[in-house]
Amino acid sequence: MELKVFDNYGGLSVAAAEMIMDCIKDKPDALLCFATGDTPKLTYQELAAGIKREGTDISKCFFIGLDEWLGIPPHNNGSCHYFLHHYLFSPMGISPRQVHLFDAMTTNEEDECKRMNSIISKRGGIDLMVVGIGMNGHIGFNEPGTAIDAAVHVTPLDEMTKNVGKKYFTEEVTINKGITVGLKQVMQAKTLLMIANGKKKAPVIKKAIEGEISTDFPAALIRKHHNGILMVDSEAASELKTYFND
Ligand code: GLP
């Protein structure tokens, strides 16, 4: 794993966007999997701006969503669906035929999982995953204790995820279950880019880097990833004993 520490959120977001653009340049038909949340907002804005500026051809890429709150309709502005369209797909002018997101309103969860599993395997795995870290160390909705070989699955949400998750919604909603790309696919992604910023993520980053490597704290598994890059700002790195930067 490579740890990169940036002075601030802006620097981190520009570097993360550049990495995504480099991946697309290297492999124009890349399969890209994107997280939602507060952390990647600026990365996605920088990415959309960078792609426009450089005229990068994204017409052959395919995009999938990392996770979704089950039961939250796509027009709700707290849904991952809404977020990805608002921050990524609309600004980047991505056609609907290049996107597959979870259907949060599905009546057949098993089929929903199968559909995403099959998209990932037909394309030979995920080329680049951009993930954040939950306050309980989750990656997507791979909550603490998720099996390392879990593929796409539906999961009850941890109490902490439900509490923290309220911040995304303008109205009161019930969020009990999530659907997510699994840890197996996270660990097999050709590149895993994990990003975190701000003081409140400092204890989480400390655990991910200095704690035990265990599925009890999924973010720590990045240390076992064959091509894991963790980008943090100086605030998120502030509780680390030491860090190396190049
Ligand atoms: C949410 C999302 C995750 C995200 C994480 C961190 O639960 N489902 O995919 O990475 O929490 O979010 P934030 O960036 O807002 O801290």
Side-chain angles (χ1 to χ4, degrees), residues 35-40 66-67 69 80 131-134 138-141 161 167-168 200-201:
T36 58
D38 290 333
T39 316
L66 172 64
D67 53 11
W69 312 96
C80 300
V131 302
I133 312 179
H138 73 202
I139 299 177
F141 284 138
T161 301
K167 70 174 174 169
Y168 305 117
K200 72 167 192 284
K201 288 283 167 81

